[in-house]
Amino acid sequence: MTIIDNAVYVDGVRSAEPQSLEQTFEILAENGGMAWIGLYRPTKAEMTAVATEFGLHALAVEDAISAHQRPKLERYDDNLFTVLRPARYLDDTETVEFGELHVFTGRNFVVTVRHAEMVGVARVRRRLESRPDLLRHGPEAVLYALLDRVVDDYAPVVAGLENDIDEIEDQLFGGETTVSRRIYELAREVIQFQRAIHPLPDMMLQLKRGFEKYGVETELRHSLRDVEDHVERVISRADSFRDLLQNALTLDGTLTANRQNEASAVQNEQVKKISSWAAIFFAPSFVAGVYGMNFDHMPELHWALGYPMAILLMAGTAALMYGIFKRKGWL
């Protein structure tokens, strides 16, 4: 079912539960009040019916159908079109999942359009239905409550990201080879989170500019200012996460370079040792090779001390080279 919940509220109390959009429009025309229609991935025909009844702007309707919108607030005459990006932290995969919520508000209606599974809207509806004194303020109360819910749900996301960053710091000094990829993945999630929250202050400012013009109740004004404070804290934390990840990435590069230099130094020492021993063994082999060519005319070939001299020459050359390499620190 595309219609998740459909109700008409009179004086803050749920007075009717129409079974179709047509009934909603009829009841609203007869009894007045406020209609709150919750849709989940509506079809074009369903959105067209709602748009025709409530006079929704065609561009906003198109955005609501196609989705994939950035957070924004647009005013079309007396109607507001708000796009929010709810988020939740998934402990199992240590990732952040983002949703999309579109909210149409007018003089006597609220239409919420969801494009992802989320329980926040239902919770807001239940909370407002338990507070008729708040719900009787109309569509503005619903919009501010939805904003408050979305922003409150950012708190577990912030806590989850903060915990992931702490784990990365441990992995950096633990020498784990996969930490670079984890930093990149986490940085991408932080950037997506920033894209969801950075437009919110401007959206709040637009709403505050309409306080006097649209006669927003004092209680709702205080509610919006409270949400605004929460948004500023979340943005500050998210921005600090990006700085921490940038520093972690720099540190990871430094540690990786140091490890490579250490490995290269060890390798160089091994090469020196191998080269030194190869040179030491080459000298006796050269002497033995010369005297082993079996030519008739060789120096000292028929000399009685020729053999001991050759052995002594090989041993002496090897000892001399060993001493030189040892003093240079190659052995």
Side-chain angles (χ1 to χ4, degrees), residues 299-312:
E300 294 84 29
L301 183 62
H302 301 287
W303 185 34
L305 298 178
Y307 178 73
M309 186 202 70
I311 296 297
L312 183 61

Side-chain angles (χ1 to χ4, degrees), residues 190-297:
V190 170
I191 290 173
Q192 291 178 338
F193 187 47
Q194 287 179 312
R195 289 174 179 171
I197 61 179
H198 275 181
L200 292 178
D202 288 339
M203 296 167 61
M204 303 289 182
L205 181 60
Q206 291 183 58
L207 289 174
K208 289 194 296 183
R209 287 173 178 170
F211 280 171
E212 299 298 333
K213 180 178 180 180
Y214 297 97
V216 178
E217 298 291 337
T218 303
E219 185 177 358
L220 295 182
R221 298 185 186 189
H222 293 326
S223 176
L224 186 65
R225 291 192 179 98
D226 183 61
V227 175
E228 190 175 21
D229 291 339
H230 291 171
V231 168
E232 291 177 357
R233 288 197 293 269
V234 170
I235 289 177
S236 176
R237 296 283 296 280
D239 291 345
S240 69
F241 290 162
R242 190 166 185 180
D243 293 337
L244 287 172
L245 288 172
Q246 184 61 44
N247 293 336
L249 191 60
T250 302
L251 178 60
D252 178 58
T254 302
L255 294 176
T256 301
N258 290 340
R259 286 193 292 267
Q260 290 175 345
N261 291 336
E262 292 174 359
S264 178
V266 172
Q267 186 178 16
N268 288 338
E269 290 299 321
Q270 296 297 328
V271 171
K272 289 179 181 179
K273 290 181 180 180
I274 294 173
S275 300
S276 300
W277 284 112
I280 291 172
F281 283 109
F282 172 75
S285 300
F286 176 76
V287 176
V290 170
Y291 280 91
M293 289 188 291
N294 296 320
F295 290 114
D296 288 337
H297 303 286

Side-chain angles (χ1 to χ4, degrees), residues 20-31:
S20 65
L21 294 177
E22 290 75 11
Q23 290 184 9
T24 304
F25 304 147
E26 293 174 0
I27 294 174
L28 195 62
E30 294 175 359
N31 304 327

